[in-house]
């Protein structure tokens, strides 16, 4: 293993902005030197002594995570052998959804119920939320995203590990006390049953959020800052992932 590719949303990329910068965009390149050393991919790299590529972006949907991971892996295979690569994916909330509009990918978030700057996006958002946002759709989409990426990586002989970062619901925001994988266990479709059959081979049995909540001290601020993990939480998660990868 020579390179670990890490993908995900803000729980992998970090939601930490350098206060000395004028930019306000978390993913701005000028913020990389401040943000990246504080999150679990960099800390895992130090623990393992292996190079890490943190290709994640704050605000991502799982649609974007699948697209970026596939594209990046195909690019890396021009430089590395498959046995030199390891991929870790921290899935975002399955309720996020992405659409391509005006030459850009636009993400709809469960907790983003206010008006948008673009009238057409605002109409799409309202129609989608009212008529098409349902458990059957996002659970099915999440299962298929996992299966697609798992078998894509497996077909290229690339070892990988998946975990769920958090679950952000339309009804309760990020205050969700269970994991989406728990919901899948209630799904009777063949794809859900197949996912559950292979889950233990490729999945952490606990989400990042639930893992950190189990480590709460009397001071919650040590572990969360505005619903995002602090650097201390990232350190704890890197140590947890290290247990899975130290012999990989």
């Amino acid at each position: 293993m020579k390179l670990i590719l890490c993908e995900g949303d803000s729980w992998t990329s970090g939601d930490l902005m350098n206060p000395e910068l004028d930019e306000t965009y978390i993913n701005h390149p000028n913020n990389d030197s401040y943000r990246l050393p504080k999150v679990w991919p960099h800390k895992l790299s130090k623990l393992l002594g292996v190079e890490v590529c943190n290709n994640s972006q704050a605000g991502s949907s799982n649609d974007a995570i699948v697209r970026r991971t596939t594209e990046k892996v195909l690019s890396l295979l021009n430089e590395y052998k498959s046995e030199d690569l390891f991929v870790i994916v921290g899935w975002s909330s399955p309720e996020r959804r992405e659409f391509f509009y005006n030459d850009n990918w636009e993400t709809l978030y469960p907790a983003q119920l206010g008006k948008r700057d673009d009238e057409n996006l605002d109409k799409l958002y309202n129609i989608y939320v009212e008529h098409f946002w349902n458990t059957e759709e996002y659970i099915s989409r999440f299962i298929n995203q996992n299966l697609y990426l798992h078998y894509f990586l497996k077909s290229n002989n690339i070892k990988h590990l998946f975990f769920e970062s958090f679950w952000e619901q339309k009804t309760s925001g990020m205050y969700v006390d269970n994991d989406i994988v728990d919901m899948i266990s209630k799904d009777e479709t063949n794809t859900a049953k197949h996912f559950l059959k292979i889950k233990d081979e490729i999945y952490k049995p606990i989400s990042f959020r639930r893992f950190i909540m189990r480590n709460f001290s009397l001071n919650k601020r040590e572990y969360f800052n505005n619903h995002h993990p602090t650097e201390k939480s990232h350190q704890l998660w890197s140590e947890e992932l290290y247990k899975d990868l130290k012999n990989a």
Side-chain angles (χ1 to χ4, degrees), residues 22-37:
D22 293 331
E23 290 87 1
T24 58
Y25 183 45
I26 293 294
N27 297 317
H28 196 286
N30 290 348
N31 191 42
D32 286 354
S33 61
Y34 178 85
R35 170 178 56 88
L36 294 178

Side-chain angles (χ1 to χ4, degrees), residues 11 40 43 47 163-167 176-179 182 204-217 222-224 229-244:
W11 284 53
W40 67 259
K43 296 178 182 298
L47 289 171
F163 68 85
E164 185 186 344
S165 298
F166 64 93
W167 182 8
V176 184
D177 196 33
N178 60 329
D179 298 342
D182 296 335
K204 289 288 292 180
I206 188 171
S207 69
F208 189 175
R209 184 178 188 274
R210 184 177 285 184
F211 172 80
I212 296 303
M213 289 181 69
R214 287 185 179 180
N215 286 280
F216 272 171
S217 66
E222 290 184 32
Y223 299 95
F224 281 100
T230 62
E231 184 174 1
K232 182 173 183 177
S233 292
H234 280 284
Q235 180 64 45
L236 289 172
W237 189 239
S238 70
E239 293 169 2
E240 175 68 15
L241 293 173
Y242 172 74
K243 299 175 185 177
D244 297 288

Side-chain angles (χ1 to χ4, degrees), residues 44-229:
L44 180 62
S45 173
K46 292 177 67 177
L47 289 171
L48 290 169
V50 175
E51 182 183 357
V52 164
C53 173
N54 189 345
N55 200 48
S56 58
Q57 290 189 20
S60 284
S61 66
N62 290 329
D63 306 311
I65 290 171
V66 171
R67 185 176 65 254
R68 285 199 309 268
T69 304
T70 305
E71 186 68 20
K72 188 65 174 179
V73 165
L74 291 174
S75 174
L76 289 172
L77 285 173
N78 293 321
E79 308 173 44
Y80 295 87
K81 296 179 180 178
S82 57
E83 59 265 29
D84 294 333
L85 299 175
F86 196 103
V87 174
I88 304 178
V89 174
W91 295 103
S92 185
S93 172
E95 294 195 43
R96 292 182 176 182
R97 187 67 190 268
E98 200 169 50
F99 299 90
F100 192 73
Y101 172 72
N102 277 356
D103 297 324
N104 290 296
W105 289 102
E106 295 286 344
T107 304
L108 301 184
Y109 305 92
Q112 185 182 351
L113 300 178
K115 286 188 174 295
R116 305 172 69 92
D117 294 334
D118 188 292
E119 182 179 352
N120 291 325
L121 283 177
D122 192 46
K123 289 179 181 177
L124 170 63
Y125 184 84
N126 290 329
I127 292 173
Y128 180 74
V129 170
E130 183 176 355
H131 299 287
F132 301 102
W133 209 320
N134 55 69
T135 305
E136 290 77 11
E137 189 279 328
Y138 66 73
I139 286 185
S140 175
R141 181 158 43 89
F142 184 72
I143 292 169
N144 283 292
Q145 287 165 335
N146 274 267
L147 291 178
Y148 167 79
L149 200 52
H150 165 58
Y151 284 113
F152 166 76
L153 294 169
K154 187 176 181 178
S155 70
N156 284 286
N157 298 311
I158 297 174
K159 292 181 180 180
H160 50 285
L161 177 67
F162 296 164
F163 68 85
E164 185 186 344
S165 298
F166 64 93
W167 182 8
E168 176 191 18
Q169 287 184 319
K170 177 167 66 75
T171 54
S172 55
M174 295 180 71
Y175 296 99
V176 184
D177 196 33
N178 60 329
D179 298 342
I180 189 65
V181 174
D182 296 335
M183 292 286 291
I184 293 174
S185 64
K186 304 172 186 177
D187 193 317
E188 293 296 323
T189 63
N190 288 326
T191 50
K193 292 176 181 177
H194 183 72
F195 169 79
L196 292 171
K197 184 178 179 180
I198 67 170
K199 176 178 69 68
D200 293 340
E201 303 174 18
I202 59 174
Y203 235 86
K204 289 288 292 180
I206 188 171
S207 69
F208 189 175
R209 184 178 188 274
R210 184 177 285 184
F211 172 80
I212 296 303
M213 289 181 69
R214 287 185 179 180
N215 286 280
F216 272 171
S217 66
L218 295 177
N219 184 5
K220 182 179 177 180
R221 292 182 180 179
E222 290 184 32
Y223 299 95
F224 281 100
N225 180 29
N226 294 326
H227 311 298
H228 285 90

